[in-house]
Amino acid sequence: MQKLIIAIVSNEDSTAASRALTKGGFSVTRLATTGGFLQVGNTTLLIGTEDDRVAELVGILKKYCATHKKVVPTTESLGRGLRRDGVAPEITVGGATYFVLDVADMGKL
Ligand code: 2BA
């Protein structure tokens, strides 16, 4: 059976994720979207695939979009470089929310 995976990912991870998915033989559509809570831009990926490939697809999303830590510069840290001494704090970025939907029919005209 065909499935449609809707995956909402950060803009930062979306390029690497969609490249890896495409390389893996998946067809991907990227939509520029905005989170309703933070009102910040994110990317929604639409991927139609067979159900026996869903686990592989989720594995790729996990690899490229899982939450990870990142050291970010702040105004306080300007000119001091990216140091892990609290001046340039580590924040959590990335993450993905995905839905797997059954597809009643799929066609290309
Ligand atoms: P996440 O749960 O990781 O969600 C990241 C983005 O994924 C969301 O952006 C939204 O665009 C999408 N998303 C997540 N769950 C969804 C769902 N069930 N249906 C449709 N889209 C979904 P934002 O809405 O801007 O949310 C950003 C972060 O703010 C969320 O991270 C969550 O940690 C928090 N958040 C979202 N809604 C909240 C609420 N009503 N109350 C408290 N915190 C909320």
Side-chain angles (χ1 to χ4, degrees):
M1 188 188 214
Q2 282 270 339
K3 300 282 185 185
L4 175 67
I5 289 81
I6 301 173
I8 303 153
V9 306
S10 73
N11 287 341
E12 191 174 285
D13 296 334
S14 66
T15 302
S18 43
R19 272 198 193 130
L21 289 164
T22 303
K23 203 173 162 194
F26 294 100
S27 291
V28 181
T29 296
R30 296 166 51 124
L31 305 174
T33 45
T34 304
F37 188 68
L38 295 181
Q39 301 289 319
V40 167
N42 51 29
T43 301
T44 297
L45 305 177
L46 302 180
I47 309 129
T49 190
E50 296 296 327
D51 52 5
D52 62 359
R53 295 202 70 197
V54 171
E56 182 190 350
L57 189 158
V58 172
I60 293 173
L61 290 178
K62 271 190 188 144
K63 181 170 177 188
Y64 290 93
C65 306
T67 52
H68 53 277
K69 301 276 183 192
K70 183 179 177 184
V71 180
V72 291
T74 62
T75 48
E76 207 186 343
S77 67
L78 280 179
R80 299 180 193 212
L82 295 176
R83 300 187 332 204
R84 288 171 188 260
D85 59 1
V87 176
E90 263 196 346
I91 59 160
T92 301
V93 294
T97 300
Y98 67 92
F99 304 86
V100 180
L101 284 69
D102 289 337
V103 174
D105 188 19
M106 187 208 147
K108 293 187 183 186
L109 304 174

